[in-house]
């Protein structure tokens, strides 16, 4: 069983459904083979408390294993006749069996019931249509069936020569029957010392000797069962269902034991315990059927680092970094579960240290029924550099671009991952749209990440420390014109500073981040000059310079330090590609009174979004995504000093759709509500149609922003919109109606709204 990190797929014969895959799949065969190699293979019926191990031995019978059949075969030379006796088969020839029938004559004879080679009773036999066998190999297969304990007798009824040179074979049999049973018990024999070869009955034994042998075998069997100290996890309701099967049947038969095995293993495999096997039945001569189970206990984890050619090498990543990501059910002493394997793959992928990951359970040859988990890892190159270039054509003299007006731009990004093998990283990027004059718009970010702040051995928590220095430039949505005035000259916000924070997971769904930010904020106009006030054009076309102040200090440059915290609780999940659940985000910025004019403030935001599964669609392969109702709300507010550039902008693709960024206003407090109904498009993958309605208001707080940018730029301070759209993968095309103006427009967006 292999988990492949690339597509999160499972590639194994045992990963098939129990109905479509052979009951003894590849993985089960391997584990059963490990058990069988310890001495629990085929044994005569009645030995060791009544073992019946033919049911659990996968693959060809012993006779066939000695000399595997070949595709080459010899045609018979019997001529046209109805049947031939078995003795007429020649020892040197290799006969192909093209037709195989089994006749169930019952233990007491009577009318025969014809079954095919697909009869579950013969699933472990190599005697199958299309097989090629010598006479001795055919005889070996028949003897293997006879000695399996499942049959009272096995006979060859007829061998029919076929015109194409092959043979048709008819085998009659009678199932073994045991005394009626009324009880069932499950015993976990994993980890027990394999039983030694028992004495077998001899035809020369007297009746007393046979009875004494039976008593010794029973005593040895009971002693072995008492040494099984680990409980069987099979729940009582399932055991009760088996008891009902046993009581309803009356006498115990081989087919009943197969149904019991399938019922028990169905529960184990459905619960993810895919390495569990029911290896034997015992006590068949009593009123209690004992099922011996190996549940697939993990005995250890083996890590292997591989190069591109698949050779084992010494890895750079420290093993404790990997080991801490494994779920408990993949640790020694726990029962292997396929869900834990998937979770391990997900956790290891999240480290972003490996290009390929495989999680392989395999039999532990040193322990009965044990499972050794092999984890194979291909490490990524720890160092990478990415360089991109671009050419910008800007208007030259006369409005046309010239050779001198071409501006080369580009970016350089680098990353050094897994420093010291402890998943620490250093990353950085530098970007400019004009490399000839980079100081105009140079932006950079350098970040160092230090996980396992409390030590890599402390698995109870993982606090991640990050520190960064940055220089960013963004267009301010605060100083933009309303819909009823000419466009205002843009104001750019430059931020340069340092940031340090710590992130920790409070629960699987909740994360908490807290830290310190120190930055210098500069407001600039489109000429890259420091700008102290917002700009707008008057009725005469002149540029008005009496707008709201752009900074708290009034100089165009602010310096400040503040604490920042973010608490996120995300209970969303994907149901057939659609997001379902709820998400809450609370962010807090607390000014420290340090910087230009000692700014002291408390800025806070709360965002709540809920995704409701309208038609209760269940998650499953091949099922369509559900219809979804989205309910969204956001509140933001600020108490204390508030620079204009940090006012809350109202309007835009992530605020109120149908409006431009900040088109509705800039406020000290705001409230946004939105709802959206999403419907999947039948037969078209990853496509939805949706309808939405949104509203936003400044709660009358725009006047409390210094200079009142909302009024100065003639914006409404509130607005609603509604519309419809279609989502194709990550691309959204939507028609939104601006309720304030009563007009609509078509927008193309990328990514999610909520």
């Amino acid at each position: 069983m292999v988990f492949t990190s690339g597509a999160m797929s499972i590639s194994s014969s045992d990963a098939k459904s129990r109905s479509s895959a052979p009951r003894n799949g590849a993985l089960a065969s391997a584990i059963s083979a490990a058990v069988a190699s310890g001495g629990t293979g085929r044994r005569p019926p009645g030995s060791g408390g009544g073992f019946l191990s033919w049911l659990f031995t996968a693959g060809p019978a012993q006779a066939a294993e000695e000399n595997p059949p070949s595709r080459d075969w010899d045609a018979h030379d019997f001529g046209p006749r109805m049947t031939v006796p078995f003795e007429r088969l020649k020892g040197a020839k290799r006969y192909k069996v093209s037709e195989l029938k089994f006749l169930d004559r019952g233990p007491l004879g009577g009318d025969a019931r014809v079954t095919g080679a697909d009869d579950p009773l013969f699933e472990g036999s190599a005697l199958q249509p299309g097989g090629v066998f010598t006479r001795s190999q055919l005889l070996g297969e028949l003897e293997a069936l006879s000695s399996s304990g499942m049959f009272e007798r096995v006979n060859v009824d007829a061998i029919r020569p076929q015109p194409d040179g092959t043979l048709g074979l008819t085998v009659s049999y009678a199932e073994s029957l045991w005394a009626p049973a009324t009880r069932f018990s499950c015993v976990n024999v994993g980890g027990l010392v394999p039983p030694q070869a028992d004495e077998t009955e001899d035809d020369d034994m007297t009746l007393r000797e046979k009875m004494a042998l039976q008593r010794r075998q029973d005593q040895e069997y009971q002693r072995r069962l008492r040494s099984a100290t680990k409980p069987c996890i099979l729940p009582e309701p399932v055991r009760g269902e088996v008891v009902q099967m046993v009581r309803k049947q009356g006498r115990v038969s081989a087919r009943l034991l197969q149904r019991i095995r399938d019922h028990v293993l169905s529960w184990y495999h459905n619960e993810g315990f895919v390495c569990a096997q029911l290896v034997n039945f015992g006590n068949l001569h009593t009123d209690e059927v004992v099922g011996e189970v190996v549940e697939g206990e993990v005995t250890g984890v083996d890590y292997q680092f591989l190069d591109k050619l698949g050779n084992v090498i010494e890895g750079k990543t420290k093993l404790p970094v990997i080991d801490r990501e494994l779920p408990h059910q993949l640790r020694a002493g726990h029962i292997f579960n396929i869900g834990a394997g998937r979770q391990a793959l997900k956790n290891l992928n999240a480290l972003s240290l490996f290009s390929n990951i495989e999680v392989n359970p395999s039999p532990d040859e040193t322990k009965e029924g044990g499972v050794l988990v092999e984890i194979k890892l291909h490490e990524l190159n720890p160092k990478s550099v990415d360089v991109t270039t671009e050419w910008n054509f800007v208007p030259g003299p006369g409005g046309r671009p010239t050779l001198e007006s071409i501006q080369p731009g580009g970016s350089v990004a680098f990353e050094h991952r897994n420093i010291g093998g402890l998943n620490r990283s250093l990353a950085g990027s530098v970007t400019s749209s004009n490399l000839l004059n980079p100081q105009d718009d140079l932006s950079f970010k350098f970040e160092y990440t230090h996980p396992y702040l409390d030590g890599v051995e402390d698995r109870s928590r993982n606090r991640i420390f990050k520190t960064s220095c940055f220089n960013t430039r963004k267009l301010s949505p605060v100083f933009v014109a309303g819909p009823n005035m000419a466009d205002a000259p843009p104001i750019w916000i430059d931020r340069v500073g340092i940031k340090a924070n710590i992130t920790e997971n409070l629960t699987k769904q909740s994360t908490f981040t807290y830290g310190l930010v120190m930055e210098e904020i500069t407001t600039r106009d489109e000429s890259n000059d420091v700008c102290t006030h917002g700009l707008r054009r008057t009725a005469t076309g002149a540029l008005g310079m009496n707008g709201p102040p752009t900074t708290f200090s009034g100089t165009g440059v602010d310096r400040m330090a503040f604490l920042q915290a973010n608490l996120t609780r995300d209970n969303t999940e994907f149901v057939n590609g659609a997001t379902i659940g709820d998400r809450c985000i609370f962010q807090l910025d607390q000014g420290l009174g340090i910087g230009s004019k000692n700014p002291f403030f408390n800025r806070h935001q709360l965002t709540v979004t809920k995704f409701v599964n309208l038609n209760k669609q269940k998650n499953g392969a091949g099922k369509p995504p559900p219809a979804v109702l989205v309910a969204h709300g956001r509140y933001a507010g600020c108490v204390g000093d508030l620079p204009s550039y940090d006012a809350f902008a109202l309007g835009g693709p992530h605020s109120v759709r149908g409006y431009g960024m900040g088109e509705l206003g800039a406020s000290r407090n705001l409230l946004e509500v939105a709802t959206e109904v999403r419907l999947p498009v039948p037969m078209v993958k990853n496509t939805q149609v949706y309808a939405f309605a949104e509203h936003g208001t400044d709660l009358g707080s725009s006047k409390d922003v210094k200079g009142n940018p909302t009024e100065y730029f003639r914006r409404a301070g509130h607005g609603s919109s509604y519309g419809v759209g279609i989502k194709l993968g990550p691309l959204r095309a939507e028609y939104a109606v601006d309720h304030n103006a009563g007009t609509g427009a078509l927008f193309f967006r990328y990514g999610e709204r909520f």
Side-chain angles (χ1 to χ4, degrees):
M1 184 168 307
V2 179
F3 301 88
T4 306
S5 63
M8 297 289 289
S9 62
I10 300 174
S11 173
S12 169
S13 59
D14 198 59
K16 302 176 184 176
S17 65
R18 300 296 297 173
S19 60
S20 61
R23 289 181 176 84
N24 295 311
L27 177 59
S29 298
I31 296 177
S32 296
V35 174
S37 67
T40 59
R42 298 184 181 86
R43 296 197 290 175
S47 66
F51 287 90
L52 188 67
S53 55
W54 168 266
L55 290 172
F56 322 105
T57 307
Q62 290 175 342
E65 289 170 352
E66 296 171 0
N67 189 10
S70 169
R71 285 190 173 183
D72 298 330
W73 54 281
D74 304 316
H76 66 75
D77 53 4
F78 295 120
R81 61 183 69 192
M82 296 296 293
T83 62
V84 296
F86 188 85
E87 294 77 11
R88 291 287 305 276
L89 298 181
K90 297 180 180 180
K93 277 186 173 289
R94 295 141 65 84
Y95 297 99
K96 181 176 182 179
V97 178
S98 60
E99 183 182 88
L100 182 61
K101 295 181 180 179
F102 291 98
L103 274 66
D104 182 2
R105 295 192 179 278
L108 300 177
D111 295 335
R113 182 172 64 91
V114 179
T115 63
D118 57 349
D119 191 318
L121 280 177
F122 303 97
E123 66 183 16
S125 174
L127 194 58
Q128 299 291 330
V132 179
F133 306 91
T134 64
R135 173 181 168 176
S136 62
Q137 288 173 341
L138 278 174
L139 184 61
E141 286 299 328
L142 296 173
E143 290 177 348
L145 289 171
S146 298
S147 62
S148 66
M150 292 185 57
F151 308 102
E152 294 290 344
R153 59 182 181 273
V154 178
N155 299 311
V156 177
D157 269 21
I159 298 178
R160 297 177 302 280
Q162 304 296 313
D164 60 358
T166 62
L167 298 178
L169 191 63
T170 301
V171 178
S172 64
Y173 67 93
E175 283 185 64
S176 296
L177 294 177
W178 293 270
T182 59
R183 295 179 297 156
F184 171 78
S185 62
C186 178
V187 179
N188 183 358
V189 297
L192 298 185
V193 177
Q196 302 300 317
D198 294 328
E199 301 178 66
T200 58
E201 291 186 6
D202 191 281
D203 294 338
D204 296 332
M205 286 184 174
T206 64
L207 180 59
R208 178 176 295 181
E209 290 173 335
K210 292 180 180 180
M211 293 178 63
L213 174 61
Q214 182 68 50
R215 284 195 299 271
R216 290 196 300 273
Q217 290 178 340
D218 287 347
Q219 291 171 358
E220 175 61 24
Y221 182 66
Q222 295 300 328
R223 184 199 64 77
R224 186 169 185 266
L225 293 187
R226 287 193 296 271
S227 66
T229 57
K230 293 188 176 181
C232 179
I233 66 171
L234 190 71
E236 286 299 329
V238 180
R239 302 188 195 203
E241 293 167 2
V242 174
V243 170
Q244 293 299 321
M245 295 169 57
V246 170
R247 291 178 178 176
K248 183 178 179 180
Q249 174 76 20
R251 296 188 68 180
V252 176
S253 67
R255 290 188 186 276
L256 174 63
L257 296 179
Q258 276 198 323
R259 296 207 315 271
I260 293 174
R261 178 202 64 179
D262 292 346
H263 191 73
V264 170
L265 290 185
S266 176
W267 179 86
Y268 275 102
H269 294 177
N270 289 341
E271 294 297 318
F273 303 107
V274 294
C275 294
Q277 285 294 297
L278 202 163
V279 296
N280 246 323
F281 286 113
N283 271 9
L284 295 180
H285 61 287
T286 69
D287 66 344
E288 179 185 37
V289 176
V290 177
E292 299 181 25
V293 176
V294 290
E295 296 179 326
E297 179 183 327
V298 177
T299 58
V301 180
D302 180 33
Y303 299 103
Q304 296 180 9
F305 294 92
L306 306 178
D307 60 15
K308 294 181 179 179
L309 300 178
N311 301 314
V312 178
I313 60 174
E314 183 177 354
K316 299 179 176 63
T317 307
K318 303 295 184 184
L319 292 185
V321 172
I322 306 170
D323 194 62
R324 64 176 289 126
E325 301 299 330
L326 299 187
H328 287 293
Q329 280 188 301
L330 284 191
R331 303 190 186 280
H334 292 79
I335 301 173
F336 178 84
N337 189 282
I338 193 173
R342 293 192 182 103
Q343 186 62 47
L345 180 63
K346 180 180 179 181
N347 294 350
L348 293 175
N349 265 325
L351 295 177
S352 300
L353 298 177
F354 310 104
S355 60
N356 188 59
I357 305 167
E358 295 180 6
V359 180
N360 304 316
S362 61
D364 186 349
E365 303 293 343
T366 64
K367 187 174 182 181
E368 179 89 354
V371 173
L372 183 65
V373 179
E374 296 180 350
I375 298 181
K376 299 180 179 181
L377 305 164
H378 296 256
E379 290 183 300
L380 288 168
N381 191 332
K383 299 178 181 180
S384 62
V385 177
D386 185 23
V387 179
T388 60
T389 58
E390 61 184 23
W391 296 90
N392 301 311
F393 294 88
V394 297
R400 295 183 179 182
T402 63
L403 186 62
E404 291 78 10
S405 66
I406 297 177
Q407 292 183 357
S411 64
V412 178
F414 71 90
E415 185 175 13
H416 187 179
R417 294 180 292 267
N418 205 17
I419 299 174
L422 293 172
N423 198 22
R424 299 168 185 171
S425 65
L426 177 64
S429 63
V430 180
T431 304
S432 176
S433 61
N434 185 3
L435 296 179
L436 300 178
N437 195 16
Q439 67 271 16
D440 287 348
D441 68 342
L442 183 69
S443 63
F444 61 82
K445 183 178 181 180
F446 301 98
E447 182 176 69
Y448 173 71
T449 303
H450 186 112
Y452 321 122
L453 196 59
D454 301 288
V456 70
E457 301 291 347
D458 186 356
R459 296 176 181 172
S460 62
R461 65 192 307 190
N462 177 20
R463 296 194 299 165
I464 302 174
F465 172 75
K466 290 184 179 181
T467 183
S468 61
C469 59
F470 57 87
N471 178 20
T472 63
R473 165 174 284 200
K474 292 184 179 180
L475 185 64
S476 174
V478 174
F479 307 98
V480 297
N484 298 319
M485 66 175 293
D487 290 342
I491 300 295
W492 295 87
I493 309 298
D494 287 355
R495 296 177 186 264
V496 58
I498 60 174
K499 180 178 181 180
N501 60 44
I502 295 174
T503 301
E504 61 178 308
N505 295 324
L506 303 181
T507 66
K508 289 183 178 180
Q509 294 79 28
S510 302
T511 59
F512 181 42
T513 301
Y514 49 94
L516 173 68
V517 180
M518 295 185 292
E519 60 183 2
E520 179 183 88
I521 303 96
T522 305
T523 55
R524 299 180 183 274
D525 59 20
E526 55 188 341
S527 300
N528 205 39
D529 296 324
V530 175
C531 181
T532 60
H533 291 79
L535 308 174
R536 73 176 181 182
R537 298 195 181 277
T538 64
T540 62
L543 197 61
M545 306 290 291
N546 59 341
T550 57
T551 57
F552 182 64
S553 64
T555 63
V557 179
D558 279 352
R559 296 181 180 89
M560 66 174 64
F562 58 93
L563 300 176
Q564 189 173 75
N566 180 289
L567 180 61
T568 300
R569 185 175 68 89
D570 192 343
N571 286 324
T572 60
E573 62 177 350
F574 286 107
V575 176
N576 305 326
T579 303
I580 298 295
D582 57 86
R583 183 189 303 121
C584 300
I585 303 173
F586 178 70
Q587 181 168 320
L588 178 70
D589 297 339
Q590 177 61 56
L592 300 177
I594 300 174
S596 305
K597 289 195 173 181
N598 305 318
F600 189 82
F601 55 85
N602 180 279
R603 190 166 55 243
H604 45 273
Q605 298 184 63
L606 175 63
T607 304
V608 180
T609 309
K610 189 170 184 64
F611 304 86
V612 182
N613 188 337
L614 289 179
N615 55 348
K616 308 300 181 184
Q617 180 67 267
K618 300 295 184 181
N619 199 11
K623 293 183 179 181
V628 179
L629 171 66
V630 184
H632 171 80
R634 174 180 174 235
Y635 169 78
C638 180
V639 178
D641 300 323
L642 178 64
S644 297
Y645 50 78
D646 278 338
F648 299 107
L650 192 61
H654 296 284
S655 176
V656 181
R657 284 176 279 189
Y659 299 92
M661 291 287 294
E663 184 179 339
L664 291 176
S667 59
R668 180 177 285 268
N669 303 292
L670 66 75
L671 177 65
E672 297 171 354
V673 292
T675 185
E676 182 173 289
V677 177
R678 301 172 176 175
L679 300 175
V681 177
M683 309 302 293
V684 183
K685 191 176 181 181
N686 297 327
T687 303
Q688 296 174 328
V689 293
Y690 58 90
F692 63 88
E694 301 185 345
H695 177 75
T697 174
D698 63 2
L699 300 174
S701 65
S702 291
K703 64 182 182 300
D704 299 323
V705 179
K706 196 171 183 179
N708 197 349
T710 299
E711 182 182 41
Y712 182 80
F713 291 105
R714 301 177 188 174
R715 293 177 286 187
H718 60 83
S720 303
S721 67
Y722 57 89
V724 295
I726 183 170
K727 184 172 182 288
L728 305 171
L731 181 65
R732 291 184 290 128
E734 55 193 26
Y735 181 81
V737 176
D738 171 352
H739 191 262
N740 288 356
T743 59
L746 182 64
F747 298 90
F748 292 94
R749 310 291 186 191
Y750 190 84
E752 294 288 345
R753 162 64 176 93
F754 304 106

